[in-house]
Amino acid sequence: MADAGAEQAPVGGADDAAAAPALQALQDVSSIGPPQQGRGAKGQYVYWITQAHPKPETVERLGLKTPSDFTREEFNAMVVQVHTASGVTLEETATFREPHENGLPHNSCLVRSLAQYKWKKVAGVFRQSHKAHVDFATHIKTWAEGVVYGCVASDHKQPEALDQGPLQWRRDGGNPLPLSECLPKRWQKEGFVRHAKLTSLAFGDLCRGHNVKTNADMRATAALLAKGGDRAMLAYLHDNDGEAMFAKVLKAQQAQEKARRAGLTREQLLEECFVGGKCGRDREGLRYDMMKKLLQKNGFDGPLQAAVLGAPRTGRAKQRAICLVGAGDSGKSSLFRGLTLVHDTYKRPDRGEFAFLSDFEYNTAAEAWMDWSYFKDFLEGETVNVGRPKNRGGDVMREGTAPILITAPDKIRLMRDGREDKYETDQMDRRIRYCFCTYTVPTEERQEALKHCAHCTARLYLEGGQTLDAPAAEPAEPPPAGAAPGGSRPGPEGGQSAPKRARTAAECVAELVAMKGLLDNGLLSADEFQHLEHNLLNGN
């Protein structure tokens, strides 16, 4: 409640007299009320005057009168007397006594004068002659508006807060027109609540409050509310382009959600999905069990979770891109696809000449939009330029720290004139960590493998946190010589790919320098650096 002290006096708006801004000093005759600037302003015929309840310390300090000091009759008599002393002749009044939310009463009086008048002089007489601080509401300008506000429940004033016996007075002593005669019959029914016409902001709040996600949801919600007596949303849709306004609501929600997610790490998004989400399969944990089985059958249960969880922490860097290699029906995509339900991933909008990067598929067509050297830089964390026509916004500088997860039928190789460029392929090997999927998903499980669950996926990869701080485990090695990886492509001239060429001393030094830079910049932990150094020096 506002403090009606020497610096302030209790003011209220038409909806809540005690919740209005701070008041002027007791000696200052200015107060809060309808605008009346300029010589041409004549004031109003009708005002809604409210006396809020000051705080006890303010009453004691200034000797103020409170609403409890008056009955309806006494407050009405004071209102008439103050107007007469101010040179204003009142035609009729209606005085209300309403409980505030804190339990203390507020007095209000709806007045109608013989001629227009300005409220400031009257407010001054209330304060100076009667020690009563009052406020003149800004939104009530006619008798009908005042009757509706005082007699009809609304979103701001529930039925139990209404004065069931307001006092009416007429200057000529005759019988006043009953207030009920100013109201529609429907508004006088017991329990009726008047809902204000929805603003666009209120419409948005309503959509969010009822978890409206689609246009169909919006129409259904409006119909359901109308059935319960609240036709505000239905009226809003009738008077406005509902679909266009709802599109703006969704856009605002998406912007808010994007801003919220931007404040979370990728690992926190996984945790949020696991803790706050629920399994989307018919049987709890079914998808988790299937992915867990795939990892165990392929021999990288634990190392893969740690690698996948570590990649978002570090971002794009050497040995941080993870590639699952295997034949069709080996479950490669099913291990990664659920992550797209948790994280915002880069999607390719078309399949034309200027297609964007999405699922990795480096082939002849891909080379047209990303050069091999750019591809290597991209995997290493560099910013690269992706070509795009001007009518689609022009070229895009692709940057950031988003990790790369790849599935492929074989290791990524650069082919020139039908032969593998072993040097470039070796360069690519230094950027990608390969895990080889040799297990084939049974036929009866393949349909279920196509279904994904964000909750189960988050649960699986959060297990990587248990081993992430330990020395990094080596991903599964490729099958032994003579046994091709499941579904791998034959090498040049129909044979299997040649074994990886040993690094030269100069290349080893260059690799060590690069890894030391990642360590110094916090992109590799000391344990990870030692593990990679060990592999490098031992020819792995």
Side-chain angles (χ1 to χ4, degrees), residues 132-183:
H133 285 241
V134 297
D135 171 45
F136 291 69
T138 60
H139 76 304
I140 294 177
K141 299 179 180 180
T142 68
W143 184 261
E145 289 174 344
V147 172
V148 170
Y149 180 73
C151 299
V152 183
S154 67
D155 296 323
H156 302 288
K157 188 190 297 184
Q158 295 303 305
E160 59 271 17
L162 297 175
D163 187 342
Q164 300 300 321
L167 170 69
Q168 289 187 256
W169 172 90
R170 277 183 56 175
R171 180 171 62 91
D172 60 9
N175 293 324
L177 178 70
L179 299 180
S180 59
E181 296 293 325
C182 302
L183 299 173

Side-chain angles (χ1 to χ4, degrees), residues 466-495:
Q466 302 169 7
T467 57
L468 192 59
D469 296 329
E474 186 68 16
E477 294 293 337
S488 64
R489 294 194 303 269
E493 301 178 359

Side-chain angles (χ1 to χ4, degrees), residues 37-43 118:
Q37 288 82 18
R39 293 184 178 180
K42 297 181 180 180
K118 296 183 178 181

Side-chain angles (χ1 to χ4, degrees), residues 81-357:
Q81 180 182 354
V82 166
H83 280 78
T84 300
S86 303
V88 178
T89 301
L90 293 181
E91 287 288 286
E92 61 178 327
T93 66
T95 302
F96 302 81
R97 190 175 182 84
E98 300 173 341
H100 192 242
E101 58 186 11
N102 60 10
L104 297 174
H106 283 187
N107 291 328
S108 297
C109 189
L110 176 64
V111 302
R112 183 172 67 84
S113 65
L114 182 64
Q116 292 171 287
Y117 73 97
K118 296 183 178 181
W119 57 269
K120 284 189 177 181
K121 181 179 179 181
V122 176
V125 176
F126 270 110
R127 287 190 293 271
Q128 294 171 349
S129 301
H130 296 272
K131 295 291 185 178
H133 285 241
V134 297
D135 171 45
F136 291 69
T138 60
H139 76 304
I140 294 177
K141 299 179 180 180
T142 68
W143 184 261
E145 289 174 344
V147 172
V148 170
Y149 180 73
C151 299
V152 183
S154 67
D155 296 323
H156 302 288
K157 188 190 297 184
Q158 295 303 305
E160 59 271 17
L162 297 175
D163 187 342
Q164 300 300 321
L167 170 69
Q168 289 187 256
W169 172 90
R170 277 183 56 175
R171 180 171 62 91
D172 60 9
N175 293 324
L177 178 70
L179 299 180
S180 59
E181 296 293 325
C182 302
L183 299 173
K185 294 295 183 183
R186 182 171 63 91
W187 290 14
Q188 300 180 45
K189 292 182 179 178
E190 184 177 356
F192 176 82
V193 176
R194 179 174 54 93
H195 297 285
K197 187 175 182 180
L198 282 184
T199 64
S200 295
L201 289 177
F203 171 73
D205 291 339
L206 200 58
C207 288
R208 285 185 286 271
H210 288 270
N211 197 30
V212 175
K213 299 295 185 183
T214 65
N215 285 317
D217 289 344
M218 175 184 66
R219 299 290 177 184
T221 300
L224 185 63
L225 291 173
K227 187 176 181 180
D230 183 357
R231 306 180 65 186
M233 189 173 185
L234 195 64
Y236 183 88
L237 296 180
H238 182 270
D239 296 337
N240 299 274
D241 185 343
E243 293 186 1
M245 296 306 300
F246 181 59
K248 293 181 179 179
V249 172
L250 288 182
K251 187 175 181 179
Q253 287 179 316
Q254 292 165 357
Q256 291 173 347
E257 177 63 8
K258 185 175 181 179
R260 186 191 70 82
R261 288 173 61 92
L264 301 176
T265 66
R266 298 182 182 101
E267 188 172 343
Q268 286 173 330
L269 290 173
L270 277 175
E271 292 171 348
E272 180 181 76
C273 186
F274 174 59
V275 175
K278 61 180 181 179
C279 182
R281 310 306 320 138
D282 295 335
R283 177 172 68 79
E284 177 73 25
L286 174 61
R287 195 74 194 93
Y288 169 83
D289 293 340
M290 294 191 67
M291 291 189 291
K292 191 74 170 177
K293 178 181 177 181
L294 281 174
L295 298 184
Q296 293 169 345
K297 290 291 186 180
N298 286 297
F300 43 69
D301 182 22
L304 182 65
Q305 293 100 307
V308 170
L309 196 62
R313 287 184 178 180
T314 304
R316 290 200 306 276
K318 285 186 176 181
Q319 288 294 299
R320 283 303 189 184
I322 303 168
C323 181
L324 299 181
V325 176
D329 297 327
S330 62
K332 306 184 302 295
S333 296
S334 67
L335 287 172
F336 283 165
R337 192 73 69 181
L339 290 170
T340 65
L341 303 176
V342 181
H343 300 291
D344 293 331
T345 56
Y346 196 73
K347 297 295 183 181
R348 181 163 50 188
D350 58 54
R351 297 283 178 178
E353 179 182 355
F354 294 93
F356 288 92
L357 194 64

